[in-house]
Amino acid sequence: MVWGKVRGHAWWPAVVGEINKHYPRDREMKYIVHFIGDQTRAFLAEKFIRNFKSTFFQLAFIKKTKN
């Protein structure tokens, strides 16, 4: 379980589905992340994914951030 961040939204609990090494628009590796509770998913770079347990108290109570 991880935290996933999509621009304009708060960090949200998610599960990493698979790695997409050939995302067509970017050169960096993307992960397919399935968000818990709303049945959505996103392609996220590693910088937008955090370990759930180790960052729980840092991210769980943030309502919204600029990124």
Side-chain angles (χ1 to χ4, degrees), residues 14-62:
V15 176
V16 176
E18 56 188 79
I19 300 170
N20 185 354
K21 295 180 182 177
H22 305 289
Y23 194 72
R25 290 178 244 154
D26 295 324
R27 292 186 191 138
E28 64 185 330
M29 188 167 45
K30 301 278 185 168
Y31 297 85
I32 299 173
V33 176
H34 300 272
F35 292 101
I36 296 172
D38 65 357
Q39 299 179 359
T40 59
R41 64 180 183 211
F43 288 99
L44 297 180
E46 193 170 343
K47 65 183 176 182
F48 296 113
I49 299 172
R50 300 282 188 272
N51 180 285
F52 188 82
K53 277 186 165 183
S54 66
T55 59
F56 179 79
F57 289 106
Q58 296 166 347
L59 301 176
F61 304 106
I62 297 173

